[in-house]
Amino acid sequence: MIFRYLTRTERILLVLMLALVFAQVYLEFEIPGYMSSITDVLTSYGTPDDIAPYAWRMMLCAFLALGALLANRLLVSYVASGLACRLRSLEFDKVQSFSSADINRFSAASLITRSTNDITQIQNLLTIATVVATKAPLMVVWGLYKILGRGWEWTLATAIGVVLIILIEMLMIFIVVPKYRKMQWLTDNVNRETSEHLAGMRVVRAYNAEAYQRRKFDKANDELTGTALFAARSLSVLNPMMFAVQNILTLSFYILGAVMISAASMPDRLVLFSDMIVFSSYAMLIVVAFILLGDITVIIPRAAVAARRVSEIIEYEPDIRDGEVSESPEGIRGEVEFRNVSFRYGDGGYVLKDISFKAMEGETVAIIGSTGCGKTSLVNLIPRFYDADEGSVFVDGVDVKDYRLDVLHSKIGYVPQRATLFTGSVSDNVNFGAGSSDRTEDDVRRAVAIAQGTEFVEALEGGYDGSVSEKGVNLSGGQKQRISIARALCARPEIFIFDDSFSALDYRTDRDLRDALRRETAGTTTIVVAQRVGTVMDADRILVIDNGELVGNGTHRELMEGCPVYREIALSQLSEEELV
Ligand code: M5T
Ligand code: MG
C-alpha cells in the first residue's frame, strides 16, 4: 500500500533492481559449478594451468556479483530514502491541515513517532526486504534445480535442515513479531513522557516532582526496554539456532559423503567427491535463503504496522475541510455573525448553547464571563479551529465552512489566550505568515508600537533582530503577549480576535494598548475576550456568557441595568462609582 507513493522513476529503478538481484543470484550460483570443475581437475591430477581458466571465470563471477550487489544497494537506498522523504513531507502537509480535534485524536507524541521512527521502519523494510524477498525465493528455486538428482541422502538431509529452520522461524513469528508491533505504541508513550517533561520542567522543579516524573518516565521506558529486550533475547537464541542447523547440515553432508565414498569404488569415488562439494555449496545457499526469509518475516510485520500508522495520517480526512469561496461579497467587510450556534467537544456536553449575535464592521465587541464558561471555545469557531455542531458562523456574510481556509484566515488577526512564539528574531515573529514579504520594517515597528512593545523590544539585545528562543521562553508573559498582539496587528486583517490577550499586562499598559488600538485600528472589527470589566467597559457591545449561554448583549450601561450576571461580575471588580 505504501508503494503507491513511489514515483514513476522509482518504480522503474525498483524493476532495474530486481534485474540486478537476478543477475547477482545467477552469478553466485555459477561459482559452485566452477568449484566442481576445479575439483575434477585436481582429482584427475591436472596442473595449475588446467585450473586457471575456471579460476579466472570464477573470480569474474564473484566480482560481477559484487558489482551487481553494490549497484543494487545504491539503487535501493536511493529509492528508499526518496520514499521516506516524500512520506515525511506528505505527513507534515496533512498534519498542517488538522484541526485541534484531529491532533488530539492522534496525540502530538504519536504524530512525532509516526513521522520519524515509523518512516524509518518503512525505509528499512524497503532497503532490506525488497532485496531479500526477491533474492531468497530465487536462490531456493535455482538451488533446487542445481542439486536435484545428485543423491537422495543429501537431499533428505537438506530437507530436514530446511524444515528445522522453518520451525525456528515460526517460533520467531509467534514470539518476536507481536513484541515488535507493540514496540511502536510504546515508543509513542516514551515520546509523550519526554516531551511533556521537557515542556513542564519548571513546574516539575518547583514542586520537587522529579521523582514522580522519573517514575512515570521509567514506567514507559521500562516497558519499551522490556519489550525490546524480550524481542532481542528471543532473536539471540533463535538466530544462532539457525546457524547451528546450517553447520550440522554441512557436517552431515560430509559424514554422509564419507560413508558413501568409502562404500564406492574408484572412479565413482571421484564423482561422488565432486558431487559432495557442489551439493554442499548449493544446499548452503538454499539454507541461507531460508535464514534470510526468516529475517524479513520479522521486519515485514513491524514495517507493516509502521506503514499502517503512516498511511492512517496521510489518508486521514480532516474534520475541517476547505471550502471554495475565495472572495467575500462586495461591500461587506469585517462582519462576524453567529446564528444559533451550539458546540461541544467530541461527545461531551454542550459547551456553547444556541449563541446568536452579530458584530458589524468596525465594531468592538467584548465577551466576558466567568472562567470556563466557553469564551475561548466561542472565538475558536471563527477561524474554524473547530466547527460548530449546530447553527452557523458567518464572516462577511459567508458561512465560514464555505471559505477557502487561507482566505478565511487572512481576514482574521487571531491572538490566542496563550501567546505562541517561534524560534527566530522579534521581526520574524511579528511579520509572520503569508504576505510577510510584502510588509516592511516600518510595518513591524508600527505594530510593535501599537502593542506597546517598542520600549522592551528596543531594549533587547539586537532590538528587532533580537532573538526569541523556542516558545519564547526568554521573554516575560506580558512581553510574549505584546509580540503576539503585534503579530496580529502587522497582518492588517479585517477582524481582530483577542482571546484574553491583555491578561498578563499591568492596568496601565492594558489601557494604553486599548487606546492605541482604538486610534490606529478604527474600522477594523474587534472581538475581545476579557476577564476584566475595566477592559470591556468601553466596548461598543458586550456579550455576557454564562455556562455556555449568551445571557447579555448590550452596552455597559444597558447591561448594568438589565443583566444580573454582568452586574455581579462588574461589582466584584470595581466599586459603583467606578462603573458609571
Ligand atoms: C469551556 C471545555 C472546558 C470548559 C469548556 C479548550 C477545551 C475546553 N473544554 C474541553 O472540553 N476541551 C477543550 O479542548 O470547554 O472552555 P473554554 O472555552 O476554554 O472556556 P473560557 O475560555 O471561557 O475559560 P477561561 O478560563 O479562558 O476564561 O468546561 O473543560
Ligand atoms: Mg479561554
Side-chain angles (χ1 to χ4, degrees), residues 372 375-377 417 499-500 529 531:
K375 306 180 294 294
T376 298
S377 308
Q417 189 160 14
D499 185 359
D500 217 355
V529 172
Q531 306 268 14

Side-chain angles (χ1 to χ4, degrees), residues 333-498:
R333 195 177 180 280
E335 202 181 275
V336 178
E337 186 183 357
F338 276 56
R339 238 181 254 165
N340 307 102
V341 170
S342 296
F343 170 73
R344 56 183 178 167
Y345 290 99
D347 299 326
Y350 278 99
V351 170
L352 296 173
K353 287 160 233 156
D354 198 26
I355 306 268
S356 300
F357 71 89
K358 192 166 179 179
M360 306 298 287
E361 176 180 352
E363 248 189 341
T364 297
V365 174
I367 301 175
I368 196 167
S370 59
T371 167
C373 68
K375 306 180 294 294
T376 298
S377 308
L378 188 150
V379 292
N380 279 350
L381 299 179
I382 308 173
R384 285 192 79 196
F385 295 146
Y386 293 92
D387 271 338
D389 290 301
E390 281 149 44
S392 303
V393 179
F394 298 87
V395 166
D396 295 344
V398 177
D399 191 327
V400 285
K401 290 180 188 169
D402 297 334
Y403 274 115
R404 254 178 43 202
L405 283 169
D406 58 330
V407 174
L408 175 66
H409 292 157
S410 70
K411 291 175 179 289
I412 299 170
Y414 170 75
V415 185
Q417 189 160 14
R418 258 185 35 207
T420 307
L421 302 186
F422 298 90
T423 320
S425 68
V426 172
S427 285
D428 293 340
N429 270 285
V430 173
N431 189 3
F432 187 76
S436 58
S437 48
D438 303 336
R439 298 189 279 261
T440 63
E441 194 61 22
D442 276 343
D443 293 323
V444 173
R445 279 168 202 271
R446 175 183 158 274
V448 172
I450 302 173
Q452 309 299 308
T454 310
E455 207 177 312
F456 88 83
V457 168
E458 284 178 357
L460 281 180
E461 205 184 307
Y464 291 89
D465 295 321
S467 66
V468 174
S469 38
E470 198 180 326
K471 293 185 188 155
V473 283
N474 60 336
L475 297 172
S476 81
Q479 289 171 339
K480 275 192 282 192
Q481 265 190 349
R482 278 176 280 172
I483 292 187
S484 161
I485 293 168
R487 174 166 57 206
L489 291 165
C490 194
R492 292 178 185 268
E494 293 174 21
I495 301 154
F496 284 118
I497 299 174
F498 297 111

Side-chain angles (χ1 to χ4, degrees), residues 86-396:
R86 186 158 335 103
L87 287 177
R88 250 179 239 123
S89 54
L90 279 173
E91 213 175 314
F92 187 85
D93 287 346
K94 180 58 75 140
V95 173
Q96 291 261 34
S97 71
F98 274 17
S99 71
S100 316
D102 295 331
I103 289 179
N104 292 344
R105 181 167 307 148
F106 288 105
S107 95
S110 184
L111 288 177
I112 292 172
T113 339
R114 285 168 202 242
S115 52
T116 49
N117 188 29
D118 284 345
I119 290 184
T120 311
Q121 303 284 351
I122 298 174
Q123 192 175 349
N124 283 346
L125 171 82
L126 205 65
T127 349
I128 304 168
T130 43
V131 177
V132 173
T134 41
K135 194 174 166 183
L138 217 59
M139 278 165 81
V140 173
V141 173
W142 219 314
L144 282 177
Y145 166 73
K146 292 265 186 185
I147 61 175
L148 273 183
R150 288 208 192 214
W152 64 267
E153 296 92 341
W154 289 322
T155 315
L156 184 68
T158 315
I160 295 176
V162 167
V163 168
L164 282 176
I165 286 183
I166 292 180
L167 283 179
I168 299 173
E169 278 163 5
M170 299 290 247
L171 280 179
M172 271 193 194
I173 293 180
F174 286 114
I175 300 177
V176 181
V177 167
K179 298 290 169 190
Y180 270 150
R181 277 198 198 145
K182 201 170 151 201
M183 271 164 68
Q184 248 108 335
W185 302 101
L186 294 175
T187 312
D188 282 355
N189 291 350
V190 171
N191 262 359
R192 195 191 47 238
E193 293 302 340
T194 314
S195 63
E196 200 174 53
H197 180 69
L198 287 177
M201 189 77 92
R202 295 180 196 194
V203 179
V204 173
R205 293 238 167 91
Y207 284 86
N208 296 322
E210 284 91 346
Y212 172 73
Q213 286 291 93
R214 167 101 245 160
R215 277 197 300 278
K216 277 210 302 187
F217 179 76
D218 281 350
K219 187 163 171 282
N221 194 18
D222 288 348
E223 225 179 328
L224 178 62
T225 313
T227 315
L229 265 184
F230 182 88
R233 284 192 185 128
S234 318
L235 280 185
S236 64
V237 174
L238 293 173
N239 259 333
M241 270 163 71
M242 293 207 278
F243 290 111
V245 171
Q246 188 188 359
N247 290 329
I248 293 170
L249 193 62
T250 316
L251 199 62
S252 63
F253 283 149
Y254 289 119
I255 293 174
L256 285 172
V259 174
M260 283 152 69
I261 289 172
S262 62
S265 53
M266 195 43 206
D268 286 346
R269 285 189 170 188
L270 289 181
V271 177
L272 274 173
F273 180 68
S274 139
D275 270 359
M276 183 177 76
I277 302 282
V278 179
F279 201 104
S280 60
S281 321
Y282 283 124
M284 273 319 108
L285 287 173
I286 296 181
V287 169
V288 168
F290 274 97
I291 295 182
L292 286 177
L293 279 179
D295 286 347
I296 58 166
T297 45
V298 177
I299 301 177
I300 287 181
R302 195 175 175 185
V305 176
R308 191 158 352 112
R309 282 162 49 101
V310 171
S311 54
E312 223 170 65
I313 305 290
I314 297 179
E315 270 145 42
Y316 184 76
E317 281 290 329
D319 279 354
I320 308 280
R321 244 161 281 169
D322 231 357
E324 261 144 34
V325 177
S326 57
E327 255 170 87
S328 44
E330 283 284 316
I332 313 185
R333 195 177 180 280
E335 202 181 275
V336 178
E337 186 183 357
F338 276 56
R339 238 181 254 165
N340 307 102
V341 170
S342 296
F343 170 73
R344 56 183 178 167
Y345 290 99
D347 299 326
Y350 278 99
V351 170
L352 296 173
K353 287 160 233 156
D354 198 26
I355 306 268
S356 300
F357 71 89
K358 192 166 179 179
M360 306 298 287
E361 176 180 352
E363 248 189 341
T364 297
V365 174
I367 301 175
I368 196 167
S370 59
T371 167
C373 68
K375 306 180 294 294
T376 298
S377 308
L378 188 150
V379 292
N380 279 350
L381 299 179
I382 308 173
R384 285 192 79 196
F385 295 146
Y386 293 92
D387 271 338
D389 290 301
E390 281 149 44
S392 303
V393 179
F394 298 87
V395 166
D396 295 344

